[in-house]
Amino acid sequence: MVRAVSAAEVAPTGYAWQVKAEGLRVRAGRKMAVDGLDLRLGRGVHGLLGPNGAGKTTLIRSLATVLRPASGTLEVLGSPVSGQVDLRGLRRALGYLPQDFGYYKRFTVREFVEYVAWLKEMPKRDVPGAVQRAVERVGLADRADDRMKTLSGGMVRRAGIAQAIVNDPEVLLLDEPTAGLDPGQRVRFRELVQELGSDSCVVVSTHLVEDVAAACTDVVLINAGRLVFQGTPDDLAAAGGSDDVGDSPLERGYSALLGEAGGW
Amino acid sequence: MSEHASAESIARYASGDDLPGDRLWAVEAHLETCELCRLRLADLAPPQVTALTSAVWAGLEPVGTPARGRRRIARWATPSFLPWLAMTAFVVLAALSVDGFLPVDSVSSAVLLVAPIVPVLGVAAAWSRFMDPAHELVVSTARAGLQLVLRRTVAVLVTVLPVLLVGGWVAGASPAYWLLPCLGVTSLTLALGGVIGIRRAAVATAATWAVLVIGPAAVLGGVPGVLAPAASPVWAAVLVGGAAAVFFRSASYARL
């Protein structure tokens, strides 16, 4: 089923970048996990790479309007996210899959996705169709009326992706979405992400370099809360020499750019 | 377009008869701008056309089963509120059993002492990541804000007040003593929540209550002054003041 396109969606946008951060600092607990990050993201699939503790999850949480930036500017879809602002309009256009995706065990997949659609203030009459479409896109149509607690880990992950895309978000934030997916599901997931990236801004945090190679149009490498590199996967591969650590050109580029931080 | 198409030309148009080119053109141009004539045309449409349009309309119906009634409650209470409800009942039961150990001549009741903070504990639970597994997801959505805070608070009060009424009735603690403080503390918590966050505010008020009221009352015995009927105007003022603060600072509940 094809979604109807409204006039508001084809209207020209009033912003140049879906995500724009300047000197962004975000605190995670006591630590400044994102510390002076400058970033511009447009349409397409952006792979967010970095070692553990680089600030990937903190960055995604602040993009999802969960965390308030400590300083700097952050604009998502042209509207500021820091300070006391009305976030409702922006939040309606966001999709977010948290790293530790929590769900209600007694809900069926359909009920859960419907509940999220309600939370995202989707028009009531659009909800059943949009839920069905989201569930079909992640390949869970045959399990849609099963309770969440009967699903396997990979299926829960796919239900999490379904809830994130139910409102056809303009900015889709996926934090470690491929964790728990088997190779076949990962291939299908990459296809879905490429499809979504053709008309929205998709940010995928991952630690799997092959995900980036296969699905992303753009790589964002961060370390210690700062931007280290932004470019295409080919640029990342070109940054690595034959004496760098890694089994593939991308991995060698990754370790060349991170230097010492790329190791243990 | 002053003149409508004649019934005869509409009928011939509907049945697909060969209208002369100029009349066909005139009828079609008129139909584009005239709703009345379109309706007249719809009445005359042959069965194969009505069958087609009804098939198209059926295809446009929303697919999938809509939410069943039992999940409607999730729009008010935290969907995983059952363990929390059990915990509330347990707190009141525990207070009742403490009453059983008190001397008979003691005026105060443990139910009376804990009653004002039981809803606050419920509010804290509704916004904690331990009680609500999807907390992270919920706080990033458009509906997260004052409206959802109030909905969940109402759900907490609706479930807690009957439990307290029954517990109070068993313990002999009249609602006249605890009902207004109960609502006052809840409203104060929500107002404070706009500044430091709902969960922190709830924990802070509950802790303050425990230290300033329950502690001394447990040592000294008797009904503490803040729960005496004479304090009710103060509690009414707290209730109204807290509600006003919540109303005027409604934008500050966007981040929970």
Side-chain angles (χ1 to χ4, degrees), chain A residues 137 165 172 191-202:
Chain A
R137 285 181 101 175
I165 63 175
L172 177 61
E191 286 166 9
L192 175 62
V193 160
Q194 279 172 327
E195 197 183 309
L196 294 164
S198 63
D199 53 7
S200 57
C201 169
V202 183

Side-chain angles (χ1 to χ4, degrees), chain B residues 125-151:
Chain B
W127 292 106
S128 82
R129 59 190 75 238
F130 305 107
M131 284 294 188
D132 184 0
H135 177 267
E136 172 87 2
L137 200 57
V138 171
V139 298
S140 74
T141 59
R143 224 172 265 272
L146 183 60
Q147 197 201 13
L148 201 60
V149 169
L150 291 181
R151 276 170 180 258

Side-chain angles (χ1 to χ4, degrees), chain A residues 22-246:
Chain A
E22 268 169 21
L24 179 71
R25 289 157 65 90
V26 190
R27 209 181 292 278
R30 287 169 187 279
K31 192 184 155 220
M32 197 61 85
V34 173
D35 197 357
L37 182 81
D38 297 307
L39 188 63
R40 282 165 189 206
L41 303 177
R43 286 194 180 174
V45 184
H46 307 276
L48 189 57
L49 276 178
N52 291 335
K56 300 192 292 286
T57 293
T58 307
L59 175 62
I60 288 210
R61 292 186 75 202
S62 63
L63 294 179
T65 72
V66 176
L67 292 178
R68 193 194 304 269
S71 65
T73 57
L74 176 59
E75 283 179 14
V76 180
L77 298 175
S79 56
V81 173
S82 37
Q84 292 278 351
V85 285
D86 188 13
L87 299 167
R88 282 177 85 159
L90 165 62
R91 281 174 170 174
R92 282 190 205 121
L94 287 183
Y96 175 39
L97 173 66
Q99 189 173 34
D100 43 352
F101 168 58
Y103 55 93
Y104 305 119
K105 293 188 175 63
R106 299 164 63 85
F107 277 45
T108 67
V109 175
R110 191 188 301 282
E111 282 167 347
F112 186 77
V113 179
E114 267 175 7
Y115 181 55
V116 175
W118 177 80
L119 284 170
K120 290 180 176 179
E121 297 186 329
M122 287 181 70
K124 204 173 173 184
R125 48 171 299 190
D126 297 351
V127 169
V131 169
Q132 179 66 25
R133 191 162 158 269
V135 168
E136 280 172 8
R137 285 181 101 175
V138 298
L140 275 182
D142 52 334
R143 303 294 303 269
D145 293 306
D146 292 355
R147 296 205 173 186
M148 299 278 283
K149 64 180 166 193
T150 66
L151 301 184
S152 69
M155 288 178 180
V156 165
R157 216 70 202 157
R158 278 145 69 195
I161 296 165
Q163 63 78 23
I165 63 175
V166 68
N167 57 335
D168 289 300
E170 285 172 61
V171 173
L172 177 61
L173 307 162
L174 304 170
D175 200 352
E176 303 274 358
T178 51
L181 297 186
D182 66 35
Q185 292 167 346
R186 281 226 297 276
V187 170
R188 176 73 197 97
F189 166 77
R190 288 171 194 158
E191 286 166 9
L192 175 62
V193 160
Q194 279 172 327
E195 197 183 309
L196 294 164
S198 63
D199 53 7
S200 57
C201 169
V202 183
V203 183
V204 187
S205 141
T206 181
H207 57 268
L208 294 173
V209 176
E210 68 258 39
D211 281 345
V212 170
C216 298
T217 54
D218 183 45
V219 184
V220 176
L221 183 57
I222 65 172
N223 185 33
R226 286 168 183 277
L227 184 68
V228 176
F229 167 83
Q230 183 173 10
T232 63
D234 292 340
D235 294 341
L236 177 63
S242 55
D243 52 342
D244 286 307
V245 189

